[in-house]
Amino acid sequence: MRLLFFFQVFFFCTLLVFGQSYNNLGTKSLRDFNAKLRANEIGQKKYISESEIEGSPYIQKEFISGKIIKRDGNEYKEILLRYNVYNNAMEFKQNGTILEIADPQTIDRILLNDKIFVYSKYSAFRKFKASYFQLLNEQKYQLLKKYNVLLKGSDASTGFENQHQKMKFEKMPPTYYFRYRNGTAHQISSQKELIKILQPIPEEITKYIQNNLTNPKDEAQLIDILDHINKGLD
């Protein structure tokens, strides 16, 4: 019995290396709403819970059995996972409790069905941030897909109920980023911007991008471009 008890405690503590949030359905944003409610001491408005918001902040709401591979080589298999896009958090379920991966920078990759997710730094408006991305190719020059969800509604910034407009999570078009190996990711906003990020490159690759990248939001075009770049810059 003592041996069994020790094993159960050890296994649970190992998983808690990933966990930081013990609020079963609370997301970071909704916890912030609740803090604002207490700070403002407004008792006449109704606090909004996630279940009352239309839409979903997840790629898929159901948990999927996945695999976590850490940078140090350790692997965690058959972990129930889902990606909260709005909260930019990879959540996992353990004994009915929903937790978030606490140190995503220690993760090399997460496998969910046929998707591979990585956690990477990226540049946005001259500032450096970090996010989960879907990795679309395994080559030296990588294409990353960033999912986007917005919380809409007239009181979305406060978390209070509004009788005239319900709050809702709305899926937005994904954005695509380029990175070299495990470096900083850069958004592909135009063919001109991609060519600038890649410099110096051969004239042939520059012309290929100019002739073939007509829409920086077209995933098939971008996959083709990155495949050509990897072949031409090996």
Side-chain angles (χ1 to χ4, degrees):
M1 288 294 292
R2 289 183 180 179
L3 181 60
L4 177 61
F5 176 76
F6 174 79
F7 176 77
Q8 290 173 332
V9 171
F10 175 79
F11 179 73
F12 185 66
C13 290
T14 301
L15 285 176
L16 287 186
V17 170
F18 296 111
Q20 67 178 359
S21 172
Y22 292 86
N23 293 330
N24 277 5
L25 285 177
T27 65
K28 179 180 179 182
S29 57
L30 295 177
R31 290 196 294 272
D32 288 345
F33 291 164
N34 199 26
K36 289 180 181 179
L37 179 61
R38 290 195 301 269
N40 292 331
E41 296 182 353
I42 300 175
Q44 297 179 348
K45 293 187 177 182
K46 180 184 175 183
Y47 168 67
I48 300 297
S49 67
E50 183 177 315
S51 61
E52 296 174 279
I53 300 175
E54 294 180 354
S56 173
Y58 307 100
I59 292 180
Q60 78 289 317
K61 190 171 183 179
E62 299 77 19
F63 284 87
I64 298 174
S65 179
K67 180 178 180 180
I68 298 171
I69 303 174
K70 296 192 69 180
R71 293 187 186 276
D72 61 10
N74 286 325
E75 297 184 5
Y76 299 82
K77 301 177 181 179
E78 298 181 1
I79 305 296
L80 292 176
L81 297 160
R82 69 180 179 186
Y83 178 36
N84 186 325
V85 180
Y86 179 74
N87 205 34
N88 190 27
M90 194 66 70
E91 302 176 351
F92 68 97
K93 184 185 286 188
Q94 171 64 19
N95 295 330
T97 300
I98 297 173
L99 309 168
E100 299 173 4
I101 292 178
D103 299 307
Q105 67 275 7
T106 66
I107 305 298
D108 179 68
R109 61 186 53 206
I110 296 172
L111 309 181
L112 281 177
N113 283 347
D114 59 341
K115 293 182 175 63
I116 301 173
F117 286 90
V118 296
Y119 191 79
S120 175
K121 290 182 180 179
Y122 71 98
S123 60
F125 305 106
R126 298 182 180 180
K127 293 183 179 180
F128 290 100
K129 301 182 180 181
S131 176
Y132 286 100
F133 295 87
Q134 183 184 347
L135 179 66
L136 296 180
N137 71 324
E138 292 274 21
Q139 297 159 297
K140 181 166 58 176
Y141 295 89
Q142 299 173 351
L143 181 62
L144 305 179
K145 180 177 183 178
K146 186 176 185 296
Y147 292 88
N148 300 298
V149 169
L150 291 180
L151 180 59
K152 292 190 173 183
S154 59
D155 279 349
S157 62
T158 63
F160 295 131
E161 182 183 50
N162 185 294
Q163 295 180 354
H164 305 291
Q165 185 177 4
K166 289 200 68 174
M167 293 165 60
K168 64 178 181 179
F169 290 111
E170 184 170 320
K171 288 182 170 62
M172 306 301 291
T175 45
Y176 295 91
Y177 288 73
F178 159 88
R179 75 172 181 175
Y180 177 74
R181 297 193 187 276
N182 293 323
T184 300
H186 301 272
Q187 185 175 353
I188 304 174
S189 56
S190 66
Q191 60 174 230
K192 182 179 180 180
E193 186 66 22
L194 178 58
I195 292 169
K196 180 180 177 181
I197 294 168
L198 285 168
Q199 291 301 322
I201 55 174
E203 182 65 21
E204 184 275 331
I205 294 180
T206 297
K207 289 182 179 179
Y208 190 89
I209 295 172
Q210 291 172 338
N211 293 332
N212 294 276
L213 183 57
T214 59
N215 181 1
K217 297 181 181 180
D218 188 310
E219 188 170 311
Q221 281 188 22
L222 290 168
I223 290 173
D224 174 73
I225 292 291
L226 264 291
D227 183 60
H228 193 84
I229 289 171
N230 278 292
K231 289 178 181 178
L233 296 180
D234 279 340

